[in-house]
mmCIF file of all heavy atoms in Angstrom:
data_model
loop_
_atom_site.group_PDB
_atom_site.id
_atom_site.type_symbol
_atom_site.label_atom_id
_atom_site.label_comp_id
_atom_site.label_asym_id
_atom_site.label_seq_id
_atom_site.Cartn_x
_atom_site.Cartn_y
_atom_site.Cartn_z
ATOM 1 N N LYS M 11 -33.243 22.144 4.670
ATOM 2 C CA LYS M 11 -33.202 20.861 5.193
ATOM 3 C C LYS M 11 -32.864 19.797 4.144
ATOM 4 O O LYS M 11 -31.960 19.014 4.377
ATOM 5 C CB LYS M 11 -34.582 20.510 5.889
ATOM 6 C CG LYS M 11 -34.673 20.856 7.381
ATOM 7 C CD LYS M 11 -36.064 20.228 7.813
ATOM 8 C CE LYS M 11 -36.030 19.989 9.260
ATOM 9 N NZ LYS M 11 -37.286 19.536 9.790
ATOM 10 N N GLN M 12 -33.497 19.870 3.006
ATOM 11 C CA GLN M 12 -33.290 18.922 1.964
ATOM 12 C C GLN M 12 -31.769 19.091 1.429
ATOM 13 O O GLN M 12 -31.120 18.132 1.128
ATOM 14 C CB GLN M 12 -34.179 19.178 0.846
ATOM 15 C CG GLN M 12 -35.639 18.660 1.184
ATOM 16 C CD GLN M 12 -36.624 18.903 0.039
ATOM 17 O OE1 GLN M 12 -36.358 19.716 -0.848
ATOM 18 N NE2 GLN M 12 -37.791 18.274 0.165
ATOM 19 N N ARG M 13 -31.439 20.316 1.251
ATOM 20 C CA ARG M 13 -30.080 20.626 0.820
ATOM 21 C C ARG M 13 -28.995 20.071 1.752
ATOM 22 O O ARG M 13 -28.067 19.460 1.381
ATOM 23 C CB ARG M 13 -29.840 22.149 0.621
ATOM 24 C CG ARG M 13 -28.535 22.483 -0.098
ATOM 25 C CD ARG M 13 -28.223 23.958 -0.081
ATOM 26 N NE ARG M 13 -28.071 24.442 1.218
ATOM 27 C CZ ARG M 13 -26.869 24.447 1.822
ATOM 28 N NH1 ARG M 13 -25.926 23.728 1.445
ATOM 29 N NH2 ARG M 13 -26.812 25.033 3.091
ATOM 30 N N VAL M 14 -29.199 20.321 3.061
ATOM 31 C CA VAL M 14 -28.285 19.834 4.115
ATOM 32 C C VAL M 14 -28.288 18.345 4.066
ATOM 33 O O VAL M 14 -27.219 17.681 4.282
ATOM 34 C CB VAL M 14 -28.584 20.472 5.479
ATOM 35 C CG1 VAL M 14 -27.837 19.766 6.515
ATOM 36 C CG2 VAL M 14 -28.361 21.919 5.424
ATOM 37 N N SER M 15 -29.377 17.761 4.025
ATOM 38 C CA SER M 15 -29.604 16.249 4.041
ATOM 39 C C SER M 15 -28.750 15.651 2.856
ATOM 40 O O SER M 15 -28.059 14.674 3.015
ATOM 41 C CB SER M 15 -30.997 15.824 3.957
ATOM 42 O OG SER M 15 -31.630 16.171 5.180
ATOM 43 N N GLY M 16 -28.899 16.311 1.694
ATOM 44 C CA GLY M 16 -28.271 15.773 0.522
ATOM 45 C C GLY M 16 -26.663 16.024 0.617
ATOM 46 O O GLY M 16 -25.927 15.020 0.376
ATOM 47 N N GLU M 17 -26.326 17.037 1.314
ATOM 48 C CA GLU M 17 -24.749 17.269 1.494
ATOM 49 C C GLU M 17 -24.288 16.223 2.481
ATOM 50 O O GLU M 17 -23.169 15.667 2.342
ATOM 51 C CB GLU M 17 -24.558 18.684 2.099
ATOM 52 C CG GLU M 17 -24.646 19.812 1.082
ATOM 53 C CD GLU M 17 -23.573 19.689 -0.022
ATOM 54 O OE1 GLU M 17 -22.400 19.499 0.346
ATOM 55 O OE2 GLU M 17 -23.883 19.877 -1.192
ATOM 56 N N LEU M 18 -25.025 15.983 3.566
ATOM 57 C CA LEU M 18 -24.633 14.956 4.483
ATOM 58 C C LEU M 18 -24.494 13.610 3.899
ATOM 59 O O LEU M 18 -23.601 12.820 4.199
ATOM 60 C CB LEU M 18 -25.638 14.878 5.679
ATOM 61 C CG LEU M 18 -25.455 16.006 6.726
ATOM 62 C CD1 LEU M 18 -26.613 15.962 7.728
ATOM 63 C CD2 LEU M 18 -24.151 15.971 7.439
ATOM 64 N N ALA M 19 -25.470 13.233 2.957
ATOM 65 C CA ALA M 19 -25.406 11.980 2.399
ATOM 66 C C ALA M 19 -24.198 11.884 1.518
ATOM 67 O O ALA M 19 -23.481 10.909 1.400
ATOM 68 C CB ALA M 19 -26.661 11.753 1.585
ATOM 69 N N ARG M 20 -23.865 12.981 0.783
ATOM 70 C CA ARG M 20 -22.667 12.986 -0.091
ATOM 71 C C ARG M 20 -21.431 12.810 0.699
ATOM 72 O O ARG M 20 -20.479 12.170 0.374
ATOM 73 C CB ARG M 20 -22.638 14.305 -0.950
ATOM 74 C CG ARG M 20 -21.634 14.335 -2.017
ATOM 75 C CD ARG M 20 -21.536 15.661 -2.689
ATOM 76 N NE ARG M 20 -21.362 16.812 -1.958
ATOM 77 C CZ ARG M 20 -20.196 17.191 -1.389
ATOM 78 N NH1 ARG M 20 -19.096 16.467 -1.633
ATOM 79 N NH2 ARG M 20 -19.961 18.288 -0.665
ATOM 80 N N ILE M 21 -21.300 13.528 1.784
ATOM 81 C CA ILE M 21 -20.197 13.481 2.673
ATOM 82 C C ILE M 21 -20.004 12.024 3.298
ATOM 83 O O ILE M 21 -18.955 11.547 3.398
ATOM 84 C CB ILE M 21 -20.314 14.460 3.824
ATOM 85 C CG1 ILE M 21 -20.126 15.908 3.237
ATOM 86 C CG2 ILE M 21 -19.251 14.280 4.923
ATOM 87 C CD1 ILE M 21 -20.325 17.074 4.210
ATOM 88 N N ASP M 22 -21.124 11.444 3.639
ATOM 89 C CA ASP M 22 -21.059 10.079 4.161
ATOM 90 C C ASP M 22 -20.571 9.109 3.100
ATOM 91 O O ASP M 22 -19.808 8.223 3.458
ATOM 92 C CB ASP M 22 -22.426 9.559 4.675
ATOM 93 C CG ASP M 22 -22.885 10.219 5.980
ATOM 94 O OD1 ASP M 22 -21.957 10.587 6.714
ATOM 95 O OD2 ASP M 22 -24.037 10.095 6.393
ATOM 96 N N GLU M 23 -20.983 9.246 1.894
ATOM 97 C CA GLU M 23 -20.500 8.372 0.878
ATOM 98 C C GLU M 23 -19.010 8.607 0.661
ATOM 99 O O GLU M 23 -18.289 7.703 0.482
ATOM 100 C CB GLU M 23 -21.285 8.722 -0.484
ATOM 101 C CG GLU M 23 -22.683 8.193 -0.560
ATOM 102 C CD GLU M 23 -23.347 8.641 -1.937
ATOM 103 O OE1 GLU M 23 -22.638 9.087 -2.891
ATOM 104 O OE2 GLU M 23 -24.549 8.575 -1.968
ATOM 105 N N GLN M 24 -18.608 9.896 0.687
ATOM 106 C CA GLN M 24 -17.219 10.170 0.519
ATOM 107 C C GLN M 24 -16.365 9.579 1.584
ATOM 108 O O GLN M 24 -15.280 9.008 1.452
ATOM 109 C CB GLN M 24 -16.977 11.660 0.358
ATOM 110 C CG GLN M 24 -15.628 12.065 -0.096
ATOM 111 C CD GLN M 24 -15.419 13.562 -0.250
ATOM 112 O OE1 GLN M 24 -16.244 14.259 0.155
ATOM 113 N NE2 GLN M 24 -14.358 13.874 -0.931
ATOM 114 N N ARG M 25 -16.882 9.666 2.878
ATOM 115 C CA ARG M 25 -16.154 9.110 3.971
ATOM 116 C C ARG M 25 -16.047 7.573 3.907
ATOM 117 O O ARG M 25 -14.910 7.094 4.241
ATOM 118 C CB ARG M 25 -16.886 9.511 5.269
ATOM 119 C CG ARG M 25 -16.101 9.189 6.531
ATOM 120 C CD ARG M 25 -16.875 9.608 7.839
ATOM 121 N NE ARG M 25 -17.147 8.311 8.563
ATOM 122 C CZ ARG M 25 -18.220 7.614 8.562
ATOM 123 N NH1 ARG M 25 -19.276 8.108 7.929
ATOM 124 N NH2 ARG M 25 -18.417 6.507 9.167
ATOM 125 N N GLU M 26 -17.128 6.893 3.487
ATOM 126 C CA GLU M 26 -17.107 5.491 3.270
ATOM 127 C C GLU M 26 -16.000 5.076 2.252
ATOM 128 O O GLU M 26 -15.359 4.125 2.419
ATOM 129 C CB GLU M 26 -18.454 5.000 2.965
ATOM 130 C CG GLU M 26 -18.546 3.543 2.846
ATOM 131 C CD GLU M 26 -18.479 2.778 4.107
ATOM 132 O OE1 GLU M 26 -18.796 3.339 5.191
ATOM 133 O OE2 GLU M 26 -17.988 1.667 4.124
ATOM 134 N N LYS M 27 -16.024 5.899 1.167
ATOM 135 C CA LYS M 27 -15.026 5.543 0.153
ATOM 136 C C LYS M 27 -13.640 5.772 0.524
ATOM 137 O O LYS M 27 -12.760 4.878 0.348
ATOM 138 C CB LYS M 27 -15.416 6.440 -1.064
ATOM 139 C CG LYS M 27 -14.430 6.378 -2.257
ATOM 140 C CD LYS M 27 -14.730 7.387 -3.233
ATOM 141 C CE LYS M 27 -13.624 7.558 -4.341
ATOM 142 N NZ LYS M 27 -13.850 8.670 -5.265
ATOM 143 N N LEU M 28 -13.461 6.819 1.281
ATOM 144 C CA LEU M 28 -12.047 7.047 1.864
ATOM 145 C C LEU M 28 -11.629 5.999 2.852
ATOM 146 O O LEU M 28 -10.513 5.663 2.988
ATOM 147 C CB LEU M 28 -12.010 8.450 2.447
ATOM 148 C CG LEU M 28 -12.048 9.613 1.368
ATOM 149 C CD1 LEU M 28 -12.048 10.973 2.198
ATOM 150 C CD2 LEU M 28 -10.841 9.543 0.468
ATOM 151 N N THR M 29 -12.614 5.551 3.747
ATOM 152 C CA THR M 29 -12.307 4.522 4.674
ATOM 153 C C THR M 29 -11.903 3.265 3.972
ATOM 154 O O THR M 29 -10.991 2.504 4.312
ATOM 155 C CB THR M 29 -13.562 4.323 5.550
ATOM 156 O OG1 THR M 29 -13.896 5.544 6.195
ATOM 157 C CG2 THR M 29 -13.337 3.241 6.645
ATOM 158 N N ASN M 30 -12.630 2.849 2.859
ATOM 159 C CA ASN M 30 -12.289 1.611 2.163
ATOM 160 C C ASN M 30 -10.878 1.780 1.506
ATOM 161 O O ASN M 30 -10.081 0.867 1.530
ATOM 162 C CB ASN M 30 -13.326 1.416 1.009
ATOM 163 C CG ASN M 30 -14.633 0.980 1.589
ATOM 164 O OD1 ASN M 30 -14.737 0.405 2.744
ATOM 165 N ND2 ASN M 30 -15.725 1.128 0.813
ATOM 166 N N GLN M 31 -10.516 2.990 0.951
ATOM 167 C CA GLN M 31 -9.299 3.190 0.380
ATOM 168 C C GLN M 31 -8.115 3.165 1.434
ATOM 169 O O GLN M 31 -7.065 2.560 1.194
ATOM 170 C CB GLN M 31 -9.249 4.613 -0.267
ATOM 171 C CG GLN M 31 -10.004 4.609 -1.623
ATOM 172 C CD GLN M 31 -9.925 6.010 -2.235
ATOM 173 O OE1 GLN M 31 -9.550 6.997 -1.623
ATOM 174 N NE2 GLN M 31 -10.307 6.138 -3.454
ATOM 175 N N LEU M 32 -8.500 3.655 2.661
ATOM 176 C CA LEU M 32 -7.462 3.560 3.705
ATOM 177 C C LEU M 32 -7.182 2.153 4.157
ATOM 178 O O LEU M 32 -6.143 1.722 4.364
ATOM 179 C CB LEU M 32 -7.938 4.404 4.938
ATOM 180 C CG LEU M 32 -7.121 4.387 6.143
ATOM 181 C CD1 LEU M 32 -5.736 5.093 5.808
ATOM 182 C CD2 LEU M 32 -7.704 5.076 7.260
ATOM 183 N N GLY M 33 -8.312 1.293 4.100
ATOM 184 C CA GLY M 33 -8.145 -0.059 4.471
ATOM 185 C C GLY M 33 -7.222 -0.789 3.431
ATOM 186 O O GLY M 33 -6.357 -1.619 3.752
ATOM 187 N N GLU M 34 -7.550 -0.523 2.116
ATOM 188 C CA GLU M 34 -6.773 -1.033 1.064
ATOM 189 C C GLU M 34 -5.251 -0.632 1.271
ATOM 190 O O GLU M 34 -4.390 -1.407 1.041
ATOM 191 C CB GLU M 34 -7.286 -0.676 -0.298
ATOM 192 C CG GLU M 34 -8.613 -1.418 -0.636
ATOM 193 C CD GLU M 34 -9.343 -0.842 -1.846
ATOM 194 O OE1 GLU M 34 -8.559 -0.106 -2.670
ATOM 195 O OE2 GLU M 34 -10.481 -1.156 -2.154
ATOM 196 N N LEU M 35 -5.066 0.652 1.460
ATOM 197 C CA LEU M 35 -3.709 1.125 1.595
ATOM 198 C C LEU M 35 -2.942 0.363 2.712
ATOM 199 O O LEU M 35 -1.800 0.100 2.647
ATOM 200 C CB LEU M 35 -3.621 2.642 1.785
ATOM 201 C CG LEU M 35 -3.962 3.379 0.539
ATOM 202 C CD1 LEU M 35 -4.091 4.903 0.860
ATOM 203 C CD2 LEU M 35 -2.860 3.233 -0.544
ATOM 204 N N ASP M 36 -3.621 0.180 3.926
ATOM 205 C CA ASP M 36 -3.072 -0.471 5.054
ATOM 206 C C ASP M 36 -2.709 -1.890 4.656
ATOM 207 O O ASP M 36 -1.653 -2.433 5.009
ATOM 208 C CB ASP M 36 -3.977 -0.453 6.191
ATOM 209 C CG ASP M 36 -4.092 0.870 6.918
ATOM 210 O OD1 ASP M 36 -3.145 1.711 6.694
ATOM 211 O OD2 ASP M 36 -5.070 1.029 7.724
ATOM 212 N N ALA M 37 -3.533 -2.555 3.963
ATOM 213 C CA ALA M 37 -3.294 -3.969 3.503
ATOM 214 C C ALA M 37 -2.072 -3.944 2.532
ATOM 215 O O ALA M 37 -1.195 -4.824 2.675
ATOM 216 C CB ALA M 37 -4.500 -4.617 2.747
ATOM 217 N N THR M 38 -1.974 -3.021 1.626
ATOM 218 C CA THR M 38 -0.868 -2.925 0.745
ATOM 219 C C THR M 38 0.435 -2.637 1.482
ATOM 220 O O THR M 38 1.480 -3.247 1.111
ATOM 221 C CB THR M 38 -1.158 -1.764 -0.356
ATOM 222 O OG1 THR M 38 -2.350 -2.088 -0.935
ATOM 223 C CG2 THR M 38 -0.127 -1.744 -1.346
ATOM 224 N N GLU M 39 0.338 -1.836 2.399
ATOM 225 C CA GLU M 39 1.570 -1.417 3.268
ATOM 226 C C GLU M 39 2.012 -2.710 4.018
ATOM 227 O O GLU M 39 3.240 -2.892 4.089
ATOM 228 C CB GLU M 39 1.189 -0.384 4.249
ATOM 229 C CG GLU M 39 2.382 0.057 5.041
ATOM 230 C CD GLU M 39 1.966 1.114 6.048
ATOM 231 O OE1 GLU M 39 0.787 1.142 6.468
ATOM 232 O OE2 GLU M 39 2.838 1.990 6.416
ATOM 233 N N ARG M 40 1.126 -3.529 4.525
ATOM 234 C CA ARG M 40 1.454 -4.714 5.242
ATOM 235 C C ARG M 40 2.198 -5.724 4.224
ATOM 236 O O ARG M 40 3.206 -6.338 4.578
ATOM 237 C CB ARG M 40 0.258 -5.404 5.867
ATOM 238 C CG ARG M 40 -0.208 -4.658 7.135
ATOM 239 C CD ARG M 40 -1.212 -5.580 7.835
ATOM 240 N NE ARG M 40 -2.242 -6.054 7.045
ATOM 241 C CZ ARG M 40 -3.400 -5.440 6.724
ATOM 242 N NH1 ARG M 40 -3.624 -4.207 7.133
ATOM 243 N NH2 ARG M 40 -4.402 -6.039 6.013
ATOM 244 N N VAL M 41 1.655 -5.834 2.984
ATOM 245 C CA VAL M 41 2.239 -6.682 2.063
ATOM 246 C C VAL M 41 3.613 -6.210 1.657
ATOM 247 O O VAL M 41 4.634 -7.052 1.577
ATOM 248 C CB VAL M 41 1.313 -6.861 0.843
ATOM 249 C CG1 VAL M 41 1.951 -7.576 -0.363
ATOM 250 C CG2 VAL M 41 -0.014 -7.586 1.241
#
Side-chain angles (χ1 to χ4, degrees):
K11 271 182 150 179
Q12 289 175 346
R13 187 187 67 77
V14 170
S15 295
E17 287 292 315
L18 283 173
R20 187 181 60 78
I21 289 171
D22 283 343
E23 286 177 16
Q24 189 175 14
R25 190 181 116 259
E26 184 67 31
K27 178 182 164 189
L28 290 173
T29 302
N30 290 339
Q31 286 178 348
L32 181 64
E34 289 175 9
L35 287 172
D36 284 341
T38 304
E39 183 181 28
R40 287 192 307 274
V41 169

